[in-house]
Amino acid sequence: MGDDDWDIRAAVKSCNINRPDNVVASKLYLETSLNDVWNSFDKLFAHDMTNFNGLSEIFSVIIMNQNGNQQLYLHPIQPAQFIQQSSFPPSPITVACVPPTTTKPKEWIDLQQQLDIGASNYPNFTFSMETPLIQTRTRKNQLIMITYELLQEELTNDNWRWRKYGQKHIKDSPLPRNYYNCSTSKLCEAKKKIEKSPNDENIFLVSYSGEHNHDPPMNRRNIASCNSSSKFKLPKSINILPKTSTLNASSSSSKRIKLSRDVASPTIATMPPLEFGSKNKMIVAVVEEKGDGKEEVDMNEDILMSFE
DNA sequence: GTCTTTTGACCGTGT
DNA sequence: GACACGGTCAAAAGA
């Protein structure tokens, strides 16, 4: 098996279907409105920032897990640093502002170290992120998942080794969902899911959870080849054939579909340092445990922020 | 021989 | 308690 033999053509061919309404998250509960978000940022930045041009500044995002709590860090490139923390359970999201200063909090230093590690190993690894970023958690005790809508070529920007451990057809979706875990270390808890967006043949919904507890594998031929190649390919294991084409290809009732073995083990990015372009969009979603113990995830278009 | 993929079965959670 | 659903396991097969 080669590391760089990705073949997307066969997979893309049969994906011309309409997108259901609940592709990414059927229900996302918003804790706040867009105005609330803006007001919060105004309060946070008004005193210390003279050159803040709103949310048009660029962020990098990384998920950290400390003592069982998930934390989402928004890393602005400039001019300020601020950290968004969300702890589960039980508190709602809190946003902390860290004005530009030479004195950095420990959390920021830890974050910066991680970013530096990634940058030194893979200096050319970036996502254009022209699609929403969604953070969800659908069940209790389940890790927070970050879902990206990535283009085919962005799928190839991978620094990690993945092994497929399952495939399921999801209800109301004609396309299967593929499950991967990190194959570099058995102790690594990083996982991801990949499914094809029924709305756009060039977009894949990639969800990441957990963290890598090791450095990225080195000497991956496909990193350079995929980043530089104009002919992007997908790993064979990303089975995105719709039900009608796969003929019972689901994990529960499928017969084996023989595909050409001209592609390699899947190597897709996980928790990459993200760079949002000036026209990118980000969705801020809150997963909240309600008073009755129920957990609800909801998304509101009002909070869709355009960085223009 | 090693690693990855496939896929039916199983399990946990929610309704 | 039964059912539906999503996620994971693990044996078998393939490269």
Side-chain angles (χ1 to χ4, degrees), chain A residues 24-25 27-30 134 283-285 297-301 303:
Chain A
V24 177
K27 292 183 68 182
L28 288 170
Y29 178 77
L30 261 197
I134 301 171
I283 288 179
V284 179
V297 184
D298 210 338
M299 178 175 64
N300 190 327
E301 292 297 327
I303 207 165

Side-chain angles (χ1 to χ4, degrees), chain A residues 3-4 6 121-125 156-159 217-232 267:
Chain A
D3 281 344
D4 54 352
W6 298 49
N121 288 342
Y122 307 100
N124 296 325
F125 180 72
T156 65
N157 290 333
D158 187 84
N159 300 329
M218 304 298 291
N219 299 324
R220 296 288 296 173
R221 275 193 302 133
N222 62 307
I223 294 175
S225 62
C226 288
N227 287 343
S228 59
S229 174
S230 60
K231 180 184 176 182
F232 296 104
T267 51

Side-chain angles (χ1 to χ4, degrees), chain A residues 254-307:
Chain A
S254 69
K255 292 183 177 180
R256 226 180 187 105
I257 302 299
K258 184 70 174 180
L259 298 177
S260 61
R261 276 288 182 183
D262 58 348
V263 287
S265 59
T267 51
I268 317 295
T270 185
M271 297 301 184
L274 303 176
E275 294 186 3
F276 291 80
S278 60
K279 294 183 178 179
N280 290 342
K281 297 178 179 178
M282 177 177 67
I283 288 179
V284 179
V286 177
V287 182
E288 189 177 52
E289 186 154 356
K290 307 175 90 174
D292 56 1
K294 290 185 178 179
E295 207 170 90
E296 194 166 0
V297 184
D298 210 338
M299 178 175 64
N300 190 327
E301 292 297 327
D302 290 342
I303 207 165
L304 183 69
M305 290 179 272
S306 284
F307 300 101

Side-chain angles (χ1 to χ4, degrees), chain A residues 69-86:
Chain A
N69 293 330
Q70 296 287 340
Q71 296 177 315
L72 170 63
Y73 290 87
L74 300 181
H75 166 43
I77 305 302
Q78 62 175 335
Q81 308 151 7
F82 56 91
I83 298 169
Q84 176 177 347
Q85 285 187 309
S86 58

Side-chain angles (χ1 to χ4, degrees), chain A residues 15-305:
Chain A
C15 290
N16 297 321
I17 61 171
N18 294 327
R19 177 185 193 159
D21 294 332
N22 57 344
V23 171
V24 177
S26 57
K27 292 183 68 182
L28 288 170
Y29 178 77
L30 261 197
E31 185 186 43
T32 182
S33 68
L34 180 59
N35 285 335
D36 292 334
V37 172
W38 279 110
N39 289 336
S40 297
F41 277 97
D42 287 344
K43 292 176 182 177
L44 288 170
F45 291 104
H47 301 294
D48 297 314
M49 299 186 60
T50 55
N51 295 321
F52 183 58
N53 296 320
L55 295 176
S56 59
E57 302 302 335
I58 310 304
F59 298 90
S60 292
V61 180
I62 191 168
I63 293 293
M64 300 182 73
N65 191 334
Q66 295 180 353
N67 301 324
N69 293 330
Q70 296 287 340
Q71 296 177 315
L72 170 63
Y73 290 87
L74 300 181
H75 166 43
I77 305 302
Q78 62 175 335
Q81 308 151 7
F82 56 91
I83 298 169
Q84 176 177 347
Q85 285 187 309
S86 58
S87 300
F88 302 96
S91 62
I93 277 181
T94 58
V95 179
C97 173
V98 184
T101 172
T102 55
T103 303
K104 300 176 180 178
K106 179 181 183 302
E107 293 81 2
W108 170 256
I109 295 174
D110 292 340
L111 171 62
Q112 191 61 55
Q113 287 173 346
Q114 291 197 26
L115 293 175
D116 289 343
I117 291 173
S120 62
N121 288 342
Y122 307 100
N124 296 325
F125 180 72
T126 59
F127 282 163
S128 62
M129 293 303 293
E130 294 178 355
T131 51
L133 163 65
I134 301 171
Q135 175 185 357
T136 62
R137 186 183 60 167
T138 56
R139 287 184 176 181
K140 282 185 176 180
N141 301 322
Q142 189 174 7
L143 290 175
I144 294 176
M145 298 207 84
I146 301 293
T147 300
Y148 303 99
E149 288 185 345
L150 300 181
L151 299 174
Q152 295 167 8
E153 54 266 34
E154 290 170 334
L155 279 177
T156 65
N157 290 333
D158 187 84
N159 300 329
W160 304 94
R161 296 180 62 202
W162 298 98
R163 189 169 81 158
K164 184 177 181 178
Y165 66 86
Q167 173 182 317
K168 290 284 283 188
H169 272 296
I170 305 304
K171 185 189 177 190
D172 295 332
S173 174
L175 303 175
R177 176 180 294 167
N178 298 272
Y179 300 89
Y180 300 86
N181 55 22
C182 181
S183 64
T184 301
S185 170
K186 292 182 178 179
L187 299 178
C188 182
E189 296 181 352
K191 293 179 181 177
K192 76 172 180 180
K193 299 183 296 187
I194 298 180
E195 57 189 306
K196 192 78 159 55
S197 171
N199 187 45
D200 190 328
E201 65 178 14
N202 294 319
I203 291 179
F204 290 81
L205 305 176
V206 185
S207 301
Y208 298 97
S209 65
E211 300 174 38
H212 294 280
N213 54 10
H214 54 86
D215 293 333
M218 304 298 291
N219 299 324
R220 296 288 296 173
R221 275 193 302 133
N222 62 307
I223 294 175
S225 62
C226 288
N227 287 343
S228 59
S229 174
S230 60
K231 180 184 176 182
F232 296 104
K233 295 181 177 180
L234 277 179
K236 171 208 58 171
S237 59
I238 301 180
N239 186 346
I240 55 177
L241 299 178
K243 283 179 181 176
T244 52
S245 298
T246 54
L247 296 175
N248 301 322
S250 72
S251 65
S252 59
S253 61
S254 69
K255 292 183 177 180
R256 226 180 187 105
I257 302 299
K258 184 70 174 180
L259 298 177
S260 61
R261 276 288 182 183
D262 58 348
V263 287
S265 59
T267 51
I268 317 295
T270 185
M271 297 301 184
L274 303 176
E275 294 186 3
F276 291 80
S278 60
K279 294 183 178 179
N280 290 342
K281 297 178 179 178
M282 177 177 67
I283 288 179
V284 179
V286 177
V287 182
E288 189 177 52
E289 186 154 356
K290 307 175 90 174
D292 56 1
K294 290 185 178 179
E295 207 170 90
E296 194 166 0
V297 184
D298 210 338
M299 178 175 64
N300 190 327
E301 292 297 327
D302 290 342
I303 207 165
L304 183 69
M305 290 179 272

